[in-house]
């Protein structure tokens, strides 16, 4: 699968212009599912290439200087990222930072320039970058060294960028394969009991107890390709790799970059000097073109040999089950309608409750508010995933995914107001102004309060992910300045539109017979959430891995396909269970339809808890609170749009079946 987009570059619609929607959907699934690393994909990041040439050939058309930027440092053992300059590394005093978009700010990316600068195609060996001195007698220097030790103990990772590409680090693992990652560690730590952690395991010479080993040297390999056949001296960078090393430089005037590692004893109380160095060399590779240079980032994923056949098998099983559900419903319903439309057959089952099936539910305003917000999130998610699948929101365009999501959510405020107001009116509600205010403020307010509390913790901990006060004001301006007025506009239109049900509602509610345990709402919700969760838990693992284990997520094609299957599964599971309840003369389906599919969010949360304890090594109260705080936001958003899918699917189904039968 190519990282330039997760859909094939050729247009599948041009081949099958007249096929029905089902075959088109299956064709899309086949295209997305059978992609491999060798597939040719199109790339639409909106970025232009940069030409490089040697120093003596530099012109306005190409440049020789290669700048390296540094991003925030993060760790799988802590949710708290830090800016590069928070640590006492070699800093660039010019401090040039590229402009950041809203998505980068919200994600906590902090990209800044570094003192590492290279000349194209010029090999350099053991070049000094800077020297850092520490005296334990001076409090400020002692704090800087202690913070550096803490970073090594928690396995914080560097993230470097060259020509908008992440610099990757590859090393051998036990089975003979290579494991590559977009970050490399500050250093590693051998505990007082002699247990080596993280990178120290790969270096047998790192064997002293209670000792920190700092990676103060990097060997960088930059690969280029001369694609221009006219200007043969012009090249483009196609990959960047490095290998971190630890050297104790004795003489800064005669650096050799070999010898004993840079050791920092855990109880060090003397003076300490650390010299940072690098070596760089260039290699030409004519096989990799600039348009496909992000393909090599596939190696940076921990599961490059992903079980494609297992995922495809899950897709087939889910499609088969949903097809069976649809077939059962259609066959059973077809027989019921034929029997009910015969004059000499007495009413029974779901037709008996025709006078109560559209009776307004309790707490109708709250339900309409949740449905309005769910619609807003659903539309936002669909458009975002579709654009990501096409390659517009590729990893090369940093922060584009989050920016697109926020902008779409703001613009979809009108849909939230319209749906909420129209559903509330169908419940015969009269307080449409209260409905509008709660639709615009309730669910976004819950998310904003959660984000504010998380941001307060990040600010106290000094993390780079802390959103500035100005950014918070900007988010509030988008909310109240654009989203709220659009919500009002949609609510105004929706509240004055007339809505008629297929059948009238009786004045006196019908008595509901005693229901067995298997027909109780709670049991139905438990059963109804299993099948939708079954179709997403594989992709859920990779999403959580990309968020908390700092892996790059690029499988938007598979994610979009899973999203479509999730819509189908939620709809059919909810319709099936609602039909069985109506056949048992239980007409309280409004909230049940919402909770049947939205219960998938409960399984989502349970899996997130399992992932926290089984897969992560997060320590500390602050990191734990942040993990579950952000998880609750994801679960709440998932709860809204899955519940909305189930509700409207069930509503359409019930409206159709009661409009095609004879009602006495």
């Amino acid at each position: 699968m190519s990282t330039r987009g997760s859909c094939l570059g050729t247009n599948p619609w041009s081949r099958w212009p007249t096929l029905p929607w089902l075959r088109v959907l299956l064709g899309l699934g086949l295209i997305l599912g059978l992609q491999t690393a060798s597939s040719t994909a199109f790339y639409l990041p909106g970025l232009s290439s940069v030409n490089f040439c040697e120093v003596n050939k530099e012109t306005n058309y190409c440049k020789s200087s290669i700048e390296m930027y540094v991003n925030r440092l993060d760790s799988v053992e802590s949710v708290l990222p830090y800016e590069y300059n928070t640590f006492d590394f070699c800093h660039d005093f010019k401090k040039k930072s590229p402009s950041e978009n809203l998505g980068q700010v919200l994600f906590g990316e902090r990209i800044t320039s570094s003192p590492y600068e290279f000349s194209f195609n010029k090999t350099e060996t053991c070049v000094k970058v800077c020297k850092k001195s520490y005296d334990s007698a001076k409090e400020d220097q002692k704090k800087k060294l202690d913070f550096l030790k803490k970073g090594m103990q928690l396995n914080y990772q560097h993230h470097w960028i060259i020509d908008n590409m992440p610099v990757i680090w590859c090393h051998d693992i036990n089975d003979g394969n290579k494991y590559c990652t977009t970050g490399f560690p500050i250093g590693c730590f051998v505990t007082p009991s002699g247990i080596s952690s993280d990178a120290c395991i790969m270096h047998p010479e790192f064997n002293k107890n209670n000792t920190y080993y700092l990676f103060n040297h990097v060997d960088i390999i930059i690969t280029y390709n001369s694609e221009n056949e006219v200007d043969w001296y012009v090249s483009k960078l196609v990959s960047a790799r490095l290998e971190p090393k630890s050297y104790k430089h004795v003489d800064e005037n005669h650096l050799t970059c070999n010898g004993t590692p840079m050791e920092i004893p855990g109880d060090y109380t003397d003076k300490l000097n650390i010299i940072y160095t690098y070596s760089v060399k260039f290699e030409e590779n004519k096989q990799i073109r600039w348009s496909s240079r992000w393909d090599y980032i596939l190696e940076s994923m921990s599961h490059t040999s992903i079980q494609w056949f297992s995922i495809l098998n899950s897709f087939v099983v889910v499609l088969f089950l949903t097809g069976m559900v649809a077939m059962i419903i259609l066959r059973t319903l077809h027989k019921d309608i034929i029997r009910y439309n015969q004059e000499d057959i007495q009413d029974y089952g779901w037709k008996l409750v025709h006078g109560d099936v559209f009776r307004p539910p309790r707490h109708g305003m709250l339900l309409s508010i949740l449905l309005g917000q769910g619609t807003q999130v659903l539309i936002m998610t669909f458009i975002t995933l579709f654009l990501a699948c096409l390659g517009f929101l590729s990893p090369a365009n940093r922060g584009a995914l989050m920016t697109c999501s926020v902008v779409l959510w703001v613009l979809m405020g009108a849909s939230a107001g319209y749906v909420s107001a129209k559903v509330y009116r169908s419940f015969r509600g009269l307080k449409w102004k209260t409905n509008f205010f709660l639709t615009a403020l309730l669910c976004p307010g819950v998310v904003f309060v959660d984000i504010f509390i998380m941001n307060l913790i990040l600010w106290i901990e000094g993390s780079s992910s802390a959103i500035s006060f100005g950014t918070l004001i900007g988010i509030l301006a988008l909310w109240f300045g654009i989203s709220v007025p659009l919500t009002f506009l949609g609510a105004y239109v929706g509240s004055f539109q007339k809505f008629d049900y297929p059948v009238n509602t009786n004045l006196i509610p019908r008595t509901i017979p005693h229901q067995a345990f298997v027909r109780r709402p709670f049991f139905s919700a438990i059963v109804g959430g299993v099948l939708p969760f079954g179709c997403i838990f594989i992709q859920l693992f990779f999403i959580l891995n990309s968020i908390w284990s700092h892996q790059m997520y690029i499988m938007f094609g598979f994610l979009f396909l899973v999203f479509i299957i999730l819509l189908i599964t939620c709809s059919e599971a909810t319709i099936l269970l609602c039909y069985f309840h109506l056949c048992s003369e239980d007409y309280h389906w409004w909230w049940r339809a919402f909770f049947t599919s939205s219960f998938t969010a409960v399984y989502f949360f349970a899996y997130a808890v399992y992932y926290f304890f089984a897969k992560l090594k997060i320590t500390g109260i602050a990191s734990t609170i942040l993990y579950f705080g952000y998880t609750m936001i994801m679960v709440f958003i998932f709860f809204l749009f899955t519940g909305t899918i189930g509700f409207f699917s069930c509503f359409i189904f019930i409206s159709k079946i009661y409009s095609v039968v004879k009602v006495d």
Side-chain angles (χ1 to χ4, degrees):
M1 184 181 70
S2 174
T3 59
R4 295 167 290 161
S6 296
C7 297
L8 289 180
T10 56
N11 187 0
W13 317 118
S14 61
R15 301 180 183 176
W16 310 320
T18 60
L19 292 181
W21 69 271
L22 181 58
R23 293 181 63 187
V24 173
L25 179 60
L26 293 176
L28 176 64
L30 183 62
I31 290 172
L32 299 179
L34 296 179
Q35 290 183 88
T36 62
S38 61
S39 64
T40 57
F42 65 85
Y43 180 55
L44 298 168
L47 301 174
S48 59
S49 60
V50 179
N51 296 320
F52 292 93
C53 56
E54 297 179 8
V55 177
N56 56 353
K57 300 175 182 177
E58 186 173 12
T59 62
N60 293 332
Y61 179 65
C62 67
K63 66 177 186 177
S64 62
S65 176
I66 300 176
E67 297 177 326
M68 191 180 76
Y69 288 86
V70 290
N71 205 341
R72 64 178 186 177
L73 287 85
D74 51 38
S75 169
V76 296
E77 300 181 26
S78 174
V79 183
L80 300 169
Y82 291 99
E83 291 187 39
Y84 179 84
N85 293 333
T86 305
F87 292 89
D88 193 32
F89 299 127
C90 299
H91 298 164
D92 181 20
F93 296 101
K94 301 175 185 177
K95 198 175 182 180
K96 297 179 294 181
S97 298
S99 57
E100 297 175 339
N101 54 40
L102 179 61
Q104 289 178 284
V105 173
L106 295 179
F107 264 128
E109 290 196 11
R110 299 294 184 267
I111 301 175
T112 185
S113 58
S114 75
Y116 297 84
E117 190 170 348
F118 322 113
S119 296
F120 176 75
N121 212 16
K122 180 181 179 182
T123 300
E124 297 179 282
T125 304
C126 205
V127 179
K128 176 185 175 182
V129 183
C130 72
K131 176 182 177 180
K132 294 292 181 178
S133 300
Y134 302 96
D135 187 351
S136 58
K138 297 181 180 180
E139 188 65 23
D140 58 335
Q141 295 183 9
K142 184 177 183 298
K143 287 183 178 180
K144 291 180 180 179
L145 184 60
D146 289 342
F147 192 68
L148 190 62
K149 290 180 180 179
K150 180 182 177 183
M152 288 185 280
Q153 189 171 357
L154 294 176
N155 192 31
Y156 269 83
Q157 307 275 317
H158 287 281
H159 293 279
W160 291 0
I161 303 169
I162 291 179
D163 191 29
N164 199 41
M165 295 183 302
V167 183
I168 68 171
W169 169 49
C170 298
H171 58 273
D172 296 325
I173 53 180
N174 296 331
D175 55 2
N177 297 323
K178 280 189 175 293
Y179 171 78
C180 298
T181 177
T182 54
F184 68 95
I186 296 175
C188 58
F189 175 57
V190 179
T191 64
S193 59
I195 300 176
S196 300
S197 61
D198 305 311
C200 284
I201 300 175
M202 298 179 292
H203 298 272
E205 67 274 16
F206 296 176
N207 52 19
K208 290 186 179 181
N209 296 356
N210 195 25
T211 303
Y212 298 87
Y213 292 90
L214 177 69
F215 292 122
N216 60 331
H217 175 85
V218 287
D219 288 332
I220 304 173
I221 300 177
I222 300 176
T223 306
Y224 65 92
N225 186 355
S226 302
E227 299 181 8
N228 196 324
E229 297 179 357
V230 179
D231 299 325
W232 56 268
Y233 61 90
V234 174
S235 303
K236 295 180 176 64
L237 305 186
V238 293
S239 72
R241 307 169 188 264
L242 62 75
E243 183 177 354
K245 295 183 178 179
S246 178
Y247 296 125
K248 186 175 182 179
H249 301 292
V250 179
D251 186 358
E252 62 178 307
N253 297 319
H254 299 86
L255 300 174
T256 57
C257 291
N258 55 35
T260 59
M262 184 66 231
E263 302 174 354
I264 305 177
D267 52 357
Y268 197 79
T269 56
D270 202 354
K271 294 182 180 181
L272 178 70
N273 294 322
I274 300 177
I275 299 176
Y276 291 89
T277 57
Y278 73 89
S279 298
V280 61
K281 69 176 182 178
F282 293 80
E283 297 179 350
E284 184 176 8
N285 189 327
K286 296 183 179 181
Q287 305 300 320
I288 306 175
R289 302 184 64 85
W290 184 89
S291 58
S292 60
R293 65 177 187 162
W294 276 77
D295 289 354
Y296 86 107
I297 303 299
L298 280 171
E299 301 176 12
S300 68
M301 301 182 65
S302 59
H303 296 277
T304 326
S305 57
I306 194 174
Q307 295 139 350
W308 301 107
F309 289 106
S310 298
I311 294 179
L312 288 174
N313 183 62
S314 298
F315 290 164
V316 171
V317 170
V318 170
L319 289 174
F320 173 76
L321 290 175
T322 52
M324 289 296 296
V325 169
M327 186 171 62
I328 291 171
I329 291 176
L330 292 176
R331 287 174 61 89
T332 305
L333 193 58
H334 178 68
K335 292 180 181 179
D336 284 350
I337 292 176
I338 293 176
R339 183 167 56 248
Y340 288 165
N341 283 334
Q342 295 177 6
E343 296 290 345
D344 56 342
I345 299 297
Q346 186 178 2
D347 292 347
Y348 70 95
W350 55 270
K351 191 181 179 185
L352 289 174
V353 297
H354 68 269
D356 298 277
V357 70
F358 291 112
R359 187 178 301 280
R362 296 179 180 178
H363 311 294
M365 179 177 288
L366 178 60
L367 179 59
S368 64
I369 292 168
L370 296 178
L371 292 173
Q373 281 296 323
T375 303
Q376 184 177 8
V377 173
L378 178 61
I379 298 174
M380 175 203 74
T381 306
F382 180 84
I383 297 177
T384 301
L385 290 180
F386 183 73
L387 293 177
C389 177
L390 294 178
F392 287 102
L393 308 179
S394 69
N397 199 355
R398 301 177 185 276
L401 186 68
M402 177 61 76
T403 303
C404 178
S405 300
V406 173
V407 171
L408 284 173
W409 180 85
V410 170
L411 297 179
M412 291 300 111
S415 63
Y418 177 81
V419 171
S420 179
K422 191 163 186 177
V423 171
Y424 182 66
R425 178 175 173 80
S426 71
F427 295 158
R428 305 186 186 95
L430 301 177
K431 302 178 180 178
W432 73 272
K433 294 181 181 178
T434 305
N435 176 262
F436 148 67
F437 279 111
L438 291 178
T439 301
L441 302 178
L442 181 60
C443 294
V446 171
V447 175
F448 183 81
V449 169
D450 193 324
I451 292 177
F452 182 81
I453 295 174
M454 298 301 104
N455 192 68
L456 189 61
I457 296 174
L458 291 170
W459 178 74
I460 294 174
E461 296 290 336
S463 172
S464 64
S465 288
I467 303 173
S468 65
F469 180 75
T471 304
L472 287 176
I473 296 299
I475 294 174
L476 290 175
L478 289 174
W479 181 11
F480 288 98
I482 301 178
S483 180
V484 172
L486 288 176
T487 305
F488 173 78
L489 179 63
Y492 183 81
V493 174
S495 60
F496 292 101
Q497 286 193 351
K498 187 178 180 181
F499 185 86
D500 295 321
Y501 291 117
V503 292
N504 297 323
T505 302
N506 296 333
L507 295 177
I508 302 176
R510 181 184 178 86
T511 302
I512 300 176
H514 176 74
Q515 302 293 315
F517 175 75
V518 294
R519 298 185 184 274
R520 298 287 177 86
F522 182 70
F523 183 82
S524 300
I526 294 176
V527 174
V530 170
L531 191 59
F533 179 76
C535 77
I536 67 166
F537 80 95
I538 294 177
Q539 285 299 317
L540 186 59
F541 168 79
F542 291 106
I543 293 174
L544 294 178
N545 219 32
S546 66
I547 296 174
W548 303 116
S549 295
H550 312 295
Q551 299 293 328
M552 188 172 294
Y553 189 87
I554 55 176
M555 298 181 291
F556 293 109
F558 275 112
L559 185 59
F560 184 73
L561 177 59
V562 169
F563 179 75
I564 298 299
I565 295 175
L566 176 66
L567 300 185
I568 299 172
T569 312
C570 286
S571 300
E572 294 186 344
T574 306
I575 290 172
L576 180 64
L577 291 172
C578 280
Y579 176 71
F580 288 154
H581 288 296
L582 290 176
C583 288
S584 63
E585 303 178 34
D586 185 355
Y587 52 83
H588 293 310
W589 63 272
W590 303 93
W591 279 105
R592 181 174 293 160
F594 186 87
F595 283 121
T596 297
S597 55
S598 65
F599 202 82
T600 310
V602 178
Y603 292 105
F604 183 175
F605 179 75
Y607 184 82
V609 173
Y610 162 78
Y611 183 85
F612 177 81
F613 289 104
K615 303 295 182 181
L616 298 180
K617 299 183 290 184
I618 291 178
T619 57
I621 298 177
S623 295
T624 302
I625 295 174
L626 288 169
Y627 175 85
F628 285 102
Y630 288 127
T631 298
M632 290 306 299
I633 295 177
M634 293 187 289
V635 169
F636 182 62
I637 292 174
F638 194 77
F639 168 81
L640 288 176
F641 83 77
T642 51
T644 303
I645 295 168
F647 177 88
F648 284 113
S649 300
C650 194
F651 178 81
I652 295 172
F653 170 76
I654 293 175
S655 298
K656 289 296 183 181
I657 66 173
Y658 281 98
S659 63
V660 297
V661 297
K662 297 178 181 179
V663 178
D664 296 332

